[in-house]
Amino acid sequence: MNKIFAARWLNDKQVVFGTKCNQLVVLDVQTGQLTMIPSLQSSDESFPASQPCGIHAISINPSGTLLATGASHTNDIGIYRLPTFDPFCVGECGHSDWIFDMEWIDDEFLVTGSRDSHIALWRIDNVDESRTSRMSCLYVPEYAIKKPLFSRPCEKATKVRALCVNRCRKIWSSRLTCARENVCMAVSEEKNLYAIGSHSFVTLLDSRKKTLQPIPAKNRDRGLFQGTEQAGTGVGLVMFYDLRAQKYLESPCGHPCQLPVGQGWLRHDENYRDIFFDTEYPNAIYTHCYDDMGVRLFTAGGPLPAGLWGNYAALWA
């Protein structure tokens, strides 16, 4: 499998993750068993896909009954029933390019963002024959094909890389001071605080005070941020930031509190031998998530250069 881009805990012993090679996998963290989930196929009406980009997002609705992720066609979404992963529907014709992120607004409505600079709103309810068609074949269970309620461009955006939902419904916009590769975002609804990860900074945005606070990443590395208090980077580290003290956590002896990642797995193919053989590249952390109890952290990713094929995953307790 190639790089792991997205992951979510399903329960206290299972994590589901998606890869750059478009595989959806359930990992049993107690036994190490991997279960491959078949991708859902789009219909012939879907927009032609460009070069596949893999699964960049996984989102579970608030009641835990539906899981949304990328479909086999990387411009579309696939919806599965939980906990069985039975196919529910495919959402198509909402985007003309790769889908980078998706978030449930509630149990019925889902929003997606794409490299085509559009966001799309989907209603994932019981099958409505007026808006859906059906597809099935000998080897694929029957499921619905849905179209979005609407798809609209984001002003001044060349692509939509990250989404998050804040139910406080406060409307405010601000230009970020760190404009290079803003690729991930998280929100704390309790604090009304957003965190945006970019190439060299994590920016904290307080929507109540309407303030921005850029936090330089250690060594100006890639701050792939997936939470409001911890950050995974592109140099093989997971770091922790103290929001009250406004500094990275340190041990009593003054050393930074950080989790170094392992070597993972790397495919020594022709591309590796011709271009990357004499250079070491630590694994980037593309995704991480805590379990419901907040005592175990799953981290995953792979080698940072696009030309390298490999993966990394770890469980911290």
Side-chain angles (χ1 to χ4, degrees):
M1 291 181 289
N2 204 0
K3 306 170 179 69
I4 298 172
F5 282 158
R8 289 289 184 273
W9 285 85
L10 293 172
N11 48 55
D12 61 353
K13 70 172 186 177
Q14 290 180 313
V15 174
V16 59
F17 62 82
T19 72
K20 186 177 180 180
C21 52
N22 220 50
Q23 295 194 57
L24 186 65
V25 185
V26 175
L27 166 67
D28 188 314
V29 299
Q30 296 178 352
T31 66
Q33 179 181 355
L34 298 175
T35 302
M36 306 297 176
I37 308 299
S39 294
L40 300 186
Q41 301 291 327
S42 302
S43 73
D44 294 337
E45 299 177 10
S46 185
F47 291 134
S50 55
Q51 184 179 359
C53 69
I55 294 174
H56 280 266
I58 297 173
S59 186
I60 299 174
N61 70 346
S63 65
T65 57
L66 295 174
L67 179 144
T69 187
S72 178
H73 188 309
T74 51
N75 301 352
D76 298 336
I77 58 174
I79 309 293
Y80 299 84
R81 292 187 186 273
L82 293 178
T84 59
F85 277 93
D86 290 333
F88 184 74
C89 72
V90 164
E92 63 180 37
C93 298
H95 297 289
S96 59
D97 211 330
W98 303 344
I99 292 177
F100 279 138
D101 206 358
M102 58 188 69
E103 286 288 339
W104 290 91
I105 298 175
D106 53 29
D107 273 345
E108 191 175 17
F109 291 94
L110 177 77
V111 62
T112 55
S114 166
R115 197 170 74 161
D116 64 5
S117 80
H118 283 63
I119 59 171
L121 181 67
W122 311 80
R123 185 179 184 185
I124 312 299
D125 56 355
N126 293 327
V127 174
D128 180 353
E129 298 297 341
S130 65
R131 291 202 315 273
T132 64
S133 58
R134 312 285 296 186
M135 74 173 296
S136 64
C137 70
L138 183 62
Y139 304 106
V140 180
E142 188 177 77
Y143 50 84
I145 302 295
K146 287 184 174 286
K147 304 298 193 299
L149 296 178
F150 63 78
S151 178
R152 294 177 181 170
C154 290
E155 295 182 2
K156 302 179 181 179
T158 56
K159 59 179 72 75
V160 178
R161 290 299 303 263
L163 298 167
C164 60
V165 175
N166 187 346
R167 291 165 180 83
C168 294
R169 299 174 181 244
K170 182 174 289 188
I171 299 176
W172 177 55
S173 63
S174 177
R175 177 176 291 275
L176 298 174
T177 56
C178 311
R180 185 180 178 189
E181 296 187 42
N182 291 293
V183 297
C184 44
M185 181 165 55
V187 63
S188 169
E189 293 190 32
E190 178 185 359
K191 301 180 178 67
N192 257 335
L193 184 68
Y194 297 84
I196 301 96
S198 65
H199 182 270
S200 301
F201 289 84
V202 174
T203 300
L204 299 181
L205 189 154
D206 190 325
S207 61
R208 291 175 297 187
K209 299 179 182 178
K210 297 185 178 180
T211 59
L212 294 174
Q213 179 187 354
I215 302 170
K218 295 288 186 179
N219 302 319
R220 291 293 193 272
D221 48 49
R222 184 180 299 269
L224 297 171
F225 201 88
Q226 297 289 336
T228 54
E229 294 174 339
Q230 73 281 341
T233 73
V235 292
L237 296 172
V238 178
M239 300 180 297
F240 299 85
Y241 188 80
D242 189 325
L243 293 175
R244 291 186 178 181
Q246 296 189 5
K247 66 177 183 178
Y248 287 99
L249 287 180
E250 296 179 348
S251 64
C253 60
H255 295 292
C257 293
Q258 54 193 26
L259 304 177
V261 308
Q263 292 184 348
W265 173 81
L266 183 65
R267 188 168 72 182
H268 292 181
D269 53 14
E270 183 178 352
N271 195 41
Y272 165 79
R273 292 190 295 268
D274 291 346
I275 302 175
F276 300 101
F277 178 75
D278 294 330
T279 307
E280 291 188 6
Y281 290 94
N283 288 303
I285 303 298
Y286 289 107
T287 182
H288 50 76
C289 50
Y290 281 103
D291 64 2
D292 288 339
M293 299 297 293
V295 296
R296 292 180 299 172
L297 177 66
F298 179 78
T299 63
L304 187 61
L308 289 177
W309 181 294
N311 63 67
Y312 164 83
L315 180 67
W316 310 84

